[in-house]
Structure formats: structure tokens, C-alpha cells
Amino acid sequence: MSDDQTPAEELDAVAEATLSHMEALNAEIAALKEQVLRYAADAENTKRRAEREANDARAYAIQKFARDLLGVADTLARALAAPPATTDPAVKNFLVGVEMTEKALLNAFESNGLKRVEPAKGTKFDPHQHQAVTEQPSQEVAGGSVIQTLQAGYELLGRLVRPRRSPWSPPVSYTHLTLPT
């Protein structure tokens, strides 16, 4: 106790110091609680993101394999599109086998989420889904539309694996553009 303070004043000073220290501790506790909640939310977000990425990895793991098999499906389709003109039963049986093989391959694609997508003639050209092979002005379809499908596209669970290859009819304004000289 100092000479100029009474015991009551000293007690008030200690109480005031204790209260301010308690207020500081309460503020620190509140800040730490908020920090813990942020860390918990960040951990939960990281967990969800990891689960989503793992699910995507599982779902799209066959994408490269599927892309490699698309060439096989195309070859089978081309073989069936131009069968030899013969009456030989062995050749006819062989063609039946090729048809069955193509059907089995396409069924395997579909059961694994790989879907064949062929736009109808006149479908609006979408550069995210189509690959333009040539430009052909056409009177049969509107400008900016697919004229025909040269090679079917494929999607794996909604994600494009191979774009559809097709000629397209450019918009009228596009065909009449002139370059400045």
C-alpha cells in the first residue's frame, strides 16, 4: 500500500485492473473461438473438395481409354457401312459377327456412361460441341447450322470426350465479308 492511497482505493485499482484483464481475456477467447470456427469450416471445405475431386477422378478415369476405343468403334461402323457385295454365307456370317461386335462395344460404352451424340441436320453449330471440318453454303439449312455429321461425337457423363465432326453452313453475313485492301 502506498502512502497516498487508502486501502479502498488500492482495492478499487486492483479490481479495475482485474476487470480490464478479464475483458481482454474474454476478447481473446472470442477471437480464438472465431478462429477455430474458421479453421473447422476450412477443413470441411477441403474435405468436400477432396471428395468431389476423388469422385471426378473415378468417374472420368476411363476417359483416355474410351477415347482410344472410339477409333475401334469408327472402324467397325465404316466396315458395316460398306459391306462387300457377295452371296458367300461365310462372308455374311462374318458381317453378322462384326455387327454383333459393334453392338457389344456400343453397349459397353453406354453402360460406362460414354454416350454417342450425333446432331440432326440443321442443328445450330456449337463450337464447344462440334468441330467444323469445312464450310459449305447451303440452301437446305439455315446459316450457322450443321449440314451433316461426318463423325459422331461422344460424351462421358456429360463431359465432351470427342467433338462431333461436321461441315457447317456459315451465316449469310459471314460469307459476304470482304477484307479491307
Side-chain angles (χ1 to χ4, degrees):
M1 179 160 44
S2 64
D3 294 338
D4 52 335
Q5 282 188 335
T6 63
E9 290 175 339
E10 191 174 309
L11 192 57
D12 285 344
V14 169
E16 190 175 308
T18 303
L19 279 175
S20 68
H21 183 66
M22 284 178 55
E23 288 173 357
L25 288 175
N26 284 337
E28 187 178 345
I29 288 170
L32 289 174
K33 281 183 179 179
E34 184 178 329
Q35 189 176 16
V36 165
L37 290 175
R38 287 178 194 249
Y39 286 144
D42 188 39
E44 184 64 29
N45 289 340
T46 302
K47 179 183 168 188
R48 281 193 208 128
R49 184 173 44 250
E51 286 174 357
R52 185 176 57 245
E53 288 172 359
N55 288 339
D56 284 351
R58 276 191 293 277
Y60 300 112
I62 65 168
Q63 187 168 354
K64 183 183 179 321
F65 181 67
R67 191 177 301 126
D68 292 343
L69 283 178
L70 293 179
V72 175
D74 293 339
T75 302
L76 289 172
R78 282 190 296 272
L80 291 172
T86 182
T87 57
D88 185 3
V91 173
K92 288 187 178 193
N93 285 338
F94 179 76
L95 287 175
V96 169
V98 171
E99 285 175 4
M100 292 170 59
T101 303
E102 181 191 36
K103 186 181 279 189
L105 181 62
L106 294 177
N107 286 339
F109 283 172
E110 198 162 313
S111 69
N112 285 287
L114 188 65
K115 187 173 99 175
R116 183 181 184 128
V117 191
E118 291 187 76
K121 183 176 186 174
T123 304
K124 183 168 173 53
F125 184 84
D126 179 2
H128 301 289
Q129 299 290 322
H130 300 97
Q131 179 180 355
V133 178
T134 61
E135 293 177 3
Q136 296 176 355
S138 174
Q139 301 299 321
E140 298 174 16
V141 298
S145 300
V146 172
I147 296 173
Q148 73 184 70
T149 298
L150 297 178
Q151 187 178 50
Y154 285 86
E155 292 180 345
L156 178 62
L157 303 172
R159 182 184 288 179
L160 188 66
V161 174
R162 182 177 78 186
R164 302 158 196 103
R165 296 179 49 142
S166 55
W168 74 298
S169 175
V172 175
S173 60
Y174 180 77
T175 58
H176 292 83
L177 288 178
T178 56
L179 296 174
T181 55

